[in-house]
Amino acid sequence: MLETKYEWQRVANQDVDLVNNIQEQCQINAALANLLVARGFQSVHEVQLFLKPQLQQIQKPDRLHDMDKAVARITQAIKQGEQITVYGDYDADGMTATAVMFETLESLGAKVNYYIPDRFKDGYGPNQDAYQRLITGGTQLLVTVDNGVTGKKEVAFAHDQGVDVVITDHHSLPVELPNAVAIVHPQYPGDLYQYGDLSGVGVAFKVAWALLGEFPTELLDLVAIGEIADLVSMAKENHVLVKFGIQQLQAGLRPGIKALLKIAGVQEESLTSQDVSFKLAPRLNALGRIANGNEGVKLLTTVDEDAAEQLAKDVDQCNRQRQDLVEQITQEALQKAQAPDNLRRRTLLIVGHDWHQGVLGIVASRLVEKTGKPTIVASVNHGELVAKGSGRSVDGYDLFAALDPHRKLLTAFGGHVMACGMSFMITQVPAIAKVLEQAAEAQHLDANQKPRLMIAGTLQTDEITEKLYQQIQQLAPFGPDNEEPIFEITDPIITSKRQMGKNNEHLKFTLKGTRQSLDVLAFGKGSNVDFFSPGVHLKLVGKVAVNSWQGRTTPQLLLEDQKIEGSVVIDARVKKLQPTMFTENAAYVVFNPVIRKNIAGHVNGRIIDVEHPELGNYDKLVFVDVPQSIAQMDQVLQNSQAVREVKLYLFDASQSAAVAIPHRPIFVNFYQIIRQHRQIDLNQQAEALCQYLRITGDQLILMIKVFLELRFVTIKNGLLKISANPQKGNLEKTRVYQEYAARWQVQKILLKGSTKELTRWVQKELHLN
């Protein structure tokens, strides 16, 4: 059964007068105006500044802790010609932060290089061996970006070597801070900085601004990429930074980004924050997962178009490799997750062998999405005893709190509520798995709890237009605290559907409105294609989007979730039965005893008694073949009121066409002809008789059989005659008539009826209409 992924929650109606004023003066949809008020906007002026922000809204850098110390030490290093190394991180935020700091220092005439740690050799953040190599290579000042606050030991080591460290970071502050020359951090205790949710590149940008003495607009494109990729709050200051950063990206001033966007199929002039989220950021992050982030900084900072093109190709190839690895490992991990022991668990610890450790976090996220369970995915390489893993959680389960008291089981551990990284001896797997389950019990994890999805409002199919899309985009960039609006479609009438993607993993279907048809894209729903058939009662929620193709732009909907109204009827009519059709855990209805015997060994659920149908604990009903009469099928449906899904194979074993029963006047006319001619030679006159009565040969045979059963006529040697003593009788009560009528009704409704007609009939019998 297709379940909803989220718990739907509608945005409450806000102050009517304020909503109306915002709608009128800002020229936006009423639901969008209501949404903005619900998000805390208290005046038209506030909304106007949000929709059309000003650079003056961005706080000056001197409000950040230790900014004066950082600028003084870096300026001193520049003047004295010291070798400065920008020490970054291997994700998109770290790469862009490195690029911002490197370009700024280079423009100021500094002797500067950069270093991106290797995920597998150095790990995240400060690394003493890496520091040693850099110091040995001549580094005299280390400037960290997007890392550093956890490096107390490493900073002390550098200091002992006579090298100062300036830290610029945004991650959670530890109890004991490093003894650095300066720690520039937006959440420093006692700091006066108003907005504490800058990402690593946001902090680096503020340092660059302070060093340059003027606002560096040309660096905002890098800021936009890093902040969007790091999922920081998209409200207030970040909203302004990224809004202007998107404009810089649209200008296409960086050859590397320009080349990467071209490969990704994104038009620069119409680039959105969603394009950064789903096209740019994943490609940059792939470098840190598969290769080395230094290549990403080269791509972002190069001014050589030929080099940019080659680097972009390398980055894209790395991303393709990452996608293939994720797909392969996810399939293997899912098989393990579906093992009987894991199906009974509320948490998952999945351990593989020789899985690429750079993608384990993505795989864990995929498993959480598929299973709804907190999941750790780990891998141990051949010949080794220590496994490395990444965990992802769900609302209501603190993954960090579950494992933090049990660090003795782990060789390394770090993270937060929703995600963590770790390593452990492979022998500790049973103990760690037990700890995860105990935490689920202690934290009262509800396996049925779903994350909430806020619905901004309702729309009819005809209301989804390009104009509405443009209004929605005024609220961009989207992200935490400024999520993209989601709408419920009130009149979803599906007219067609088809699977998409290399493995048919996606789905596209069309909704019919009064004035337009609307395409809906449902990513990852390809295997659920039957649930999106015409006639299925659905509620749909999604994001408004547009599709641009060959110069033409059309609105479309990106599906976020769906609800099934009542029972689902799936038209899966077949011409041939296969053993794979009976693997579902369902109640199977088989009318033909021969078919029942043949499939008995293949059925995963059970075959129910059609004379006394009872579903038992099954909520899925599968009709394997067609009955002799509609009444037989109706009897089963009448006893299946609790069923949630009805699948219709309706295999026709006879493969013979039903005969339409002639109307009563034709019967009367035929009888009169027999009386007038006394006898009819069927061998000679049958064809002429059919032409005269405008019936088929099969219909003629049907009428003769009915007359014979009523003893209206006799037949001998092909001669049809009126009986000597004909009796009165009712045509419709004869056995022949009823058998033919039943067969015709079965064919008309079950075999020849359209999907819409068939599903409506089944729903009616289930008393859904």
Side-chain angles (χ1 to χ4, degrees):
M1 185 66 183
L2 183 63
E3 300 287 349
T4 56
K5 182 178 178 181
Y6 301 98
E7 177 188 339
W8 297 7
Q9 184 173 337
R10 288 173 174 77
V11 174
N13 291 330
Q14 304 298 311
D15 183 293
V16 175
D17 291 337
L18 178 56
V19 170
N20 288 339
N21 285 338
I22 292 172
Q23 179 188 1
E24 292 173 7
Q25 296 190 43
C26 299
Q27 294 294 296
I28 59 174
N29 178 277
L32 296 178
N34 187 74
L35 177 64
L36 290 171
V37 176
R39 289 179 176 174
F41 290 89
Q42 299 178 3
S43 69
V44 172
H45 177 67
E46 285 184 9
V47 173
Q48 289 172 334
L49 274 179
F50 178 76
L51 298 179
K52 295 181 179 180
Q54 305 295 316
L55 288 175
Q56 291 79 3
Q57 294 172 253
I58 301 173
Q59 290 194 86
K60 292 183 178 180
D62 57 7
R63 296 188 179 185
L64 280 163
H65 181 269
D66 275 357
M67 182 63 78
D68 54 343
K69 295 179 182 178
V71 170
R73 181 63 184 91
I74 294 171
T75 301
Q76 176 189 343
I78 295 172
K79 288 180 178 179
Q80 295 180 356
E82 295 179 58
Q83 176 65 59
I84 304 173
T85 296
V86 180
Y87 190 98
D89 187 28
Y90 45 69
D91 66 1
D93 187 29
M95 292 179 211
T96 51
T98 302
V100 163
M101 191 66 72
F102 174 73
E103 284 192 351
T104 299
L105 295 177
E106 195 175 46
S107 70
L108 290 170
K111 183 181 178 183
V112 61
N113 58 20
Y114 57 84
Y115 181 81
I116 301 293
D118 185 284
R119 175 190 288 266
F120 308 104
K121 296 177 182 178
D122 303 323
Y124 165 74
N127 179 282
Q128 185 168 312
D129 290 340
Y131 275 19
Q132 178 66 76
R133 291 194 301 272
L134 293 170
I135 293 170
T136 301
T139 295
Q140 296 167 283
L141 174 65
L142 280 165
V143 179
T144 73
V145 291
D146 194 32
N147 75 94
V149 292
T150 60
K152 185 175 187 296
K153 181 183 69 173
E154 292 79 7
V155 171
F157 169 79
H159 185 268
D160 290 342
Q161 302 294 311
V163 173
D164 286 336
V165 180
V166 171
I167 294 173
T168 76
D169 199 357
H170 73 116
H171 291 94
S172 298
L173 292 160
V175 176
E176 294 186 44
L177 292 169
N179 185 26
V181 170
I183 299 177
V184 183
H185 196 291
Q187 296 175 11
Y188 199 91
D191 186 25
L192 298 176
Y193 197 76
Q194 189 173 0
Y195 305 125
D197 204 22
L198 287 171
S199 75
V201 71
V203 178
F205 175 80
K206 291 299 181 78
V207 176
W209 183 1
L211 286 167
L212 293 166
E214 59 183 13
F215 189 84
T217 304
E218 69 280 2
L219 296 177
L220 285 174
D221 48 4
L222 297 174
V223 175
I225 295 172
E227 294 233 310
I228 292 172
D230 219 48
L231 298 176
V232 294
S233 171
M234 278 298 127
K236 301 178 180 177
E237 183 179 42
N238 284 341
H239 181 83
V240 183
L241 284 168
V242 177
K243 188 98 169 181
F244 283 101
I246 293 292
Q247 293 178 10
Q248 282 293 112
L249 285 168
Q250 290 171 342
L253 301 178
R254 292 183 182 271
I257 296 176
K258 189 180 190 72
L260 195 57
L261 287 173
K262 184 178 179 181
I263 288 176
V266 177
Q267 298 292 329
E268 278 179 325
E269 61 274 10
S270 58
L271 176 140
T272 66
S273 57
Q274 297 95 317
D275 292 323
V276 176
S277 293
F278 299 111
K279 299 292 179 67
L280 272 182
R283 284 173 165 81
L284 290 173
N285 281 327
L287 280 171
R289 296 182 183 279
I290 304 297
N292 189 285
N294 286 287
E295 296 301 300
V297 181
K298 287 181 184 177
L299 174 79
L300 295 170
T301 58
T302 185
V303 293
D304 185 315
E305 293 186 359
D306 292 334
E309 187 174 339
Q310 185 57 53
L311 284 165
K313 288 179 180 178
D314 293 342
V315 170
D316 190 63
Q317 181 58 40
C318 191
N319 186 55
R320 290 177 186 274
Q321 184 182 350
R322 188 269 305 172
Q323 291 173 325
D324 291 341
L325 284 168
V326 169
E327 184 65 29
Q328 171 197 334
I329 297 172
T330 298
Q331 292 305 316
E332 294 178 24
L334 272 174
Q335 288 183 355
K336 291 176 179 287
Q338 291 163 358
D341 286 349
N342 281 328
L343 288 174
R344 289 189 289 267
R345 293 172 55 84
R346 289 194 283 178
T347 62
L348 292 174
L349 174 57
I350 307 297
V351 181
H353 292 273
D354 295 318
W355 288 347
H356 196 291
Q357 294 172 351
V359 299
L360 298 181
I362 301 177
V363 175
S365 295
R366 295 281 180 89
L367 262 64
V368 170
E369 186 176 341
K370 294 281 186 181
T371 66
K373 299 177 181 181
T375 300
I376 293 172
V377 176
S379 176
V380 59
N381 293 331
H382 180 71
E384 297 181 2
L385 296 176
V386 176
K388 293 184 179 179
S390 290
R392 298 293 184 269
S393 194
V394 300
D395 289 340
Y397 188 84
D398 188 332
L399 193 55
F400 184 84
L403 291 170
D404 189 45
H406 304 279
R407 288 177 178 259
K408 64 181 183 296
L409 300 175
L410 309 166
T411 57
F413 175 68
H416 51 82
V417 173
M418 297 299 289
C420 66
M422 72 204 68
S423 60
F424 51 84
M425 296 292 292
I426 197 69
T427 53
Q428 297 289 3
V429 167
I432 297 171
K434 183 178 180 180
V435 163
L436 292 172
E437 285 295 286
Q438 290 173 339
E441 183 70 26
Q443 295 184 30
H444 307 290
L445 175 64
D446 183 359
N448 297 317
Q449 183 179 354
K450 298 177 180 178
R452 286 187 297 178
L453 184 70
M454 296 301 298
I455 312 299
T458 59
L459 295 171
Q460 293 183 347
T461 300
D462 288 339
E463 292 180 290
I464 300 177
T465 62
E466 186 179 355
K467 179 180 178 181
L468 175 61
Y469 170 78
Q470 297 298 343
Q471 290 182 9
I472 293 171
Q473 289 305 308
Q474 290 183 60
L475 277 61
F478 299 117
D481 301 324
N482 186 43
E483 289 79 8
E484 187 173 356
I486 293 170
F487 296 90
E488 179 182 348
I489 310 305
T490 59
D491 59 342
I493 301 173
I494 299 175
T495 57
S496 63
K497 60 179 180 178
R498 66 181 178 90
Q499 291 171 301
M500 300 168 54
K502 183 170 62 176
N503 300 310
N504 287 331
E505 66 270 33
H506 308 306
L507 180 66
K508 182 178 182 179
F509 58 94
T510 303
L511 301 181
K512 180 184 178 183
T514 305
R515 299 186 303 274
Q516 72 170 358
S517 292
L518 180 75
D519 286 337
V520 182
L521 299 182
F523 295 106
K525 300 285 187 182
S527 60
N528 302 122
V529 60
D530 290 335
F531 293 97
F532 294 89
S533 299
V536 174
H537 291 258
L538 287 172
K539 286 186 176 180
L540 306 175
V541 291
K543 297 175 181 177
V544 177
V546 292
N547 177 41
S548 298
W549 177 250
Q550 295 183 340
R552 184 174 174 230
T553 301
T554 56
Q556 60 184 13
L557 189 76
L558 304 181
L559 187 71
E560 286 292 313
D561 204 7
Q562 70 293 307
K563 283 183 181 178
I564 303 294
E565 294 285 277
S567 299
V568 177
V569 181
I570 299 174
D571 180 3
R573 285 176 286 190
V574 297
K575 296 293 185 182
K576 185 179 181 180
L577 296 175
Q578 303 283 356
T580 53
M581 295 178 179
F582 313 111
T583 57
E584 295 180 278
N585 189 29
Y588 292 84
V589 182
V590 190
F591 297 101
N592 188 310
V594 176
I595 297 176
R596 188 181 304 122
K597 180 180 178 181
N598 289 340
I599 72 169
H602 301 289
V603 170
N604 182 31
R606 72 180 181 93
I607 300 174
I608 65 174
D609 183 353
V610 294
E611 298 297 329
H612 305 286
E614 292 184 6
L615 285 178
N617 295 325
Y618 295 96
D619 62 0
K620 183 180 294 186
L621 188 64
V622 180
F623 284 91
V624 175
D625 60 344
V626 293
Q628 292 294 313
S629 69
I630 287 293
Q632 287 180 290
M633 189 165 175
D634 184 58
Q635 182 181 358
V636 176
L637 292 171
Q638 293 297 322
N639 286 275
S640 306
Q641 302 302 303
V643 71
R644 298 181 65 193
E645 181 182 326
V646 178
K647 181 173 282 189
L648 306 168
Y649 289 144
L650 298 179
F651 172 68
D652 182 16
S654 70
Q655 300 293 323
S656 59
V659 179
I661 300 177
H663 296 300
R664 183 177 179 82
I666 296 177
F667 275 94
V668 173
N669 196 7
F670 180 34
Y671 184 77
Q672 294 297 336
I673 291 172
I674 302 171
R675 289 188 61 183
Q676 291 172 7
H677 291 78
R678 297 178 178 268
Q679 69 176 25
I680 294 177
D681 186 346
L682 294 175
N683 294 325
Q684 300 293 326
Q685 298 175 292
E687 185 176 347
L689 186 61
C690 288
Q691 292 178 355
Y692 178 77
L693 294 173
R694 296 183 178 179
I695 59 175
T696 66
D698 288 333
Q699 288 176 312
L700 178 63
I701 293 171
L702 184 159
M703 290 195 295
I704 292 172
K705 286 181 177 180
V706 170
F707 286 168
L708 286 170
E709 184 177 338
L710 290 170
R711 298 185 180 180
F712 285 0
V713 298
T714 63
I715 187 170
K716 187 177 182 180
N717 298 325
L719 295 177
L720 187 65
K721 298 180 181 180
I722 294 295
S723 297
N725 297 302
Q727 303 294 317
K728 289 185 178 181
N730 190 329
L731 299 173
E732 297 175 358
K733 290 185 177 182
T734 63
R735 179 186 57 81
V736 173
Y737 188 100
Q738 291 178 352
E739 286 179 356
Y740 271 81
R743 175 64 185 171
W744 174 253
Q745 191 177 30
V746 166
Q747 177 164 292
K748 180 182 178 183
I749 295 175
L750 303 183
L751 298 176
K752 299 296 184 182
S754 67
T755 294
K756 186 176 181 179
E757 292 167 338
L758 176 62
T759 53
R760 279 185 175 177
W761 180 82
V762 173
Q763 288 167 344
K764 181 180 179 182
E765 298 308 306
L766 288 169
H767 300 297
L768 294 180
N769 290 343

